Amino acid sequence: MKTTISNPIDRTSVYICAGLVSAGGALLLNVLPLLFGALSERYGFGENQLGSLAMAMNLGFGVLGLASLLWIRRVSWRVISLSASVLVVAALLCMLTDPPYETLLMVMALAGAGTGALYALAMTIFGDSVQPERAFGFKLGMETIPGAILLTLLPVAVAPLWGFQGMIVTLAIAMVLMGVVPLPWVPRRSQRVSQVLTGPEPTVAAENRVIVWLSLIASLVFLTGIMSVWAFLELLGKKTGLSSDTIGAVLGVGFVINAGSGFVASSIGLKAGRFLPLAVVVCAEVAGLVMLGQFASLTTYVIGAMCMLFSISFVLAYTFGLMAEFDLSGKLVALGALCLSIGAAVGPAVGGLLIEAYGYPAVLLFSGACSVSVLLIYGAAVLKAQQSKKTDNPEASVVMPRT
């Protein structure tokens, strides 16, 4: 007999507060264009230097995401969130001291490490849900809302009045509000405990691991393709003759739509199965990429951008959700933070190379190929999940009621 006690994540208060912690983990990635614009204006950095800063941040993010496997279920979740938030705040405030470029590289790496720890923590908390697709949909929607608010407020209300210092202090305050204030409503640690009295079938355990890794690969491939286009959406819009203000408005609305897609995925859950909702949204995203490739008008740009941005949180809700359900150890789900880090680093690099060599159609084709690949990889994972459930004996486990 196998006794399983699941972490009581499935409460609205925990969803909201853990979602805010996740938003803290995504904070710097969400506001990166504005932050780098401010750094460029203050220090006169060029694109190459800014690219190195982004690489340092993503490296720190990914290293902590990977290292979290060692301690994410051993240390109090509140201690992790508090410590990581303090690290990010300290790194942000250090930018106000006008450090030399070499020091700033280290500061960005530390800030990325702190946000990576927060994101890995949120992945672990939501991964304990008994309805992971719904939980991750809510998480991805929740983490985007503060980013959308800051993208609107920073350039309009903060930077014109208080400049670079005001922007950095605002980000530090936002990190405290997201990573520290919600902690009384965040569980101290997981209550997901598995006691196996009769060992599980080795074949079933192996199949579960395959499903988890296929889901992780699908997430990574999707993020790489999306980020390869996201990094150049503004330049793509200018190719059609659009102004920076118009493009900014479109991307701001698209960011809100991206948040909404997470809540849509949360509301749908598994009502229509696992594969069909994801396939429909991926097909719409590919159609959006085709429209972006037309270079025709504001209309095609807006529709293409909206289709692409809607897909992000929606698709990740299903790939992360499937991964969480079959990650029996509850540890590998934290690698979602590593997927985000690698995708954010590799995607723009590949996109830039393709644009320089072959133009914008090449990067759109690359992103579309990544999305089609995701359908194949995720479809294989879903088939294995269905086979696993058919061979699983429902009498082999007893789920204890929540307290």
Side-chain angles (χ1 to χ4, degrees):
M1 179 187 231
K2 182 175 72 176
T3 302
T4 303
I5 304 175
S6 296
N7 175 47
I9 174 63
D10 298 299
R11 295 198 299 266
T12 302
S13 60
V14 179
Y15 268 37
I16 293 174
C17 294
L20 288 172
V21 172
S22 184
L27 174 65
L28 296 185
L29 287 174
N30 287 342
V31 303
L32 196 59
L34 294 180
L35 178 60
F36 275 13
L39 288 171
S40 177
E41 183 176 344
R42 183 176 179 88
Y43 298 108
F45 293 151
E47 286 80 1
N48 185 42
Q49 289 173 304
L50 291 173
S52 297
L53 290 175
M55 182 63 72
M57 188 189 77
N58 281 306
L59 181 62
F61 192 103
V63 168
L64 257 291
L66 181 61
S68 67
L69 296 178
L70 301 175
W71 42 259
I72 200 74
R73 292 191 178 275
R74 298 180 180 180
V75 181
S76 167
W77 286 347
R78 296 179 184 178
V79 170
I80 294 172
S81 186
L82 177 62
S83 303
S85 299
V86 169
L87 177 60
V88 177
V89 170
L92 286 169
L93 295 180
C94 185
M95 296 179 188
L96 298 177
T97 64
D98 293 333
Y101 180 73
E102 292 74 15
T103 303
L104 194 57
L105 281 171
M106 183 178 296
V107 168
M108 289 299 295
L110 291 174
T115 54
L118 287 171
Y119 204 84
L121 173 62
M123 289 289 297
T124 303
I125 294 174
F126 281 96
D128 280 356
S129 170
V130 295
Q131 296 177 305
E133 281 80 9
R134 295 189 62 186
F136 278 106
F138 189 94
K139 168 195 175 295
L140 290 161
M142 190 70 191
E143 75 186 32
T144 310
I145 293 175
I149 294 173
L150 287 169
L151 284 174
T152 303
L153 291 180
L154 289 176
V156 174
V158 177
L161 293 177
W162 296 290
F164 178 77
Q165 291 87 349
M167 182 179 294
I168 295 299
V169 171
T170 300
L171 291 176
I173 293 172
M175 179 57 65
V176 173
L177 292 176
M178 290 183 283
V180 178
V181 173
L183 291 187
W185 295 273
V186 173
R188 286 187 174 87
R189 60 184 71 250
S190 176
Q191 294 182 19
R192 175 178 178 170
V193 179
S194 298
Q195 297 175 341
V196 183
L197 301 182
T198 58
E201 294 282 344
T203 303
V204 174
E207 287 180 353
N208 287 340
R209 286 195 294 272
V210 170
I211 294 167
V212 171
W213 285 108
L214 284 174
S215 302
L216 271 170
I217 293 171
S219 303
L220 176 58
V221 171
F222 179 73
L223 281 165
T224 301
I226 285 293
M227 293 303 294
S228 70
V229 175
W230 165 251
F232 301 98
L233 264 184
E234 182 176 1
L235 295 175
L236 186 61
K238 288 180 178 178
K239 285 286 184 180
T240 67
L242 303 179
S243 67
S244 296
D245 291 343
T246 300
I247 295 171
V250 171
L251 297 184
V253 173
F255 214 75
V256 175
I257 288 177
N258 178 32
S261 72
F263 294 118
V264 171
S266 180
S267 64
I268 294 175
L270 299 181
K271 295 175 184 176
R274 277 198 164 97
F275 186 77
L276 181 60
L278 183 138
V280 169
V281 170
V282 167
C283 289
E285 181 234 337
V286 172
L289 293 173
V290 172
M291 298 193 74
L292 285 173
Q294 299 302 309
F295 294 102
S297 65
L298 173 62
T299 301
T300 56
Y301 179 79
V302 170
I303 296 176
M306 295 305 129
C307 289
M308 193 195 85
L309 291 171
F310 180 87
S311 70
I312 300 175
S313 292
F314 193 98
V315 171
L316 291 178
Y318 281 87
T319 58
F320 285 163
L322 180 61
M323 172 181 60
E325 180 173 339
F326 286 86
D327 178 19
L328 301 183
S329 68
K331 295 180 179 179
L332 294 178
V333 68
L335 291 179
L338 185 62
C339 288
L340 183 61
S341 171
I342 295 175
V346 175
V350 173
L353 290 173
L354 290 173
I355 292 170
E356 286 186 4
Y358 306 105
Y360 282 94
V363 73
L364 296 171
L365 182 61
F366 170 76
S367 184
C370 287
S371 296
V372 173
S373 299
V374 168
L375 283 181
L376 298 176
I377 299 168
Y378 181 76
V382 170
L383 285 176
K384 284 192 168 293
Q386 292 172 345
Q387 294 170 358
S388 176
K389 286 184 178 294
K390 286 180 181 179
T391 58
D392 190 24
N393 183 3
E395 297 179 358
S397 64
V398 177
V399 179
M400 303 301 294
R402 293 192 198 327
T403 57

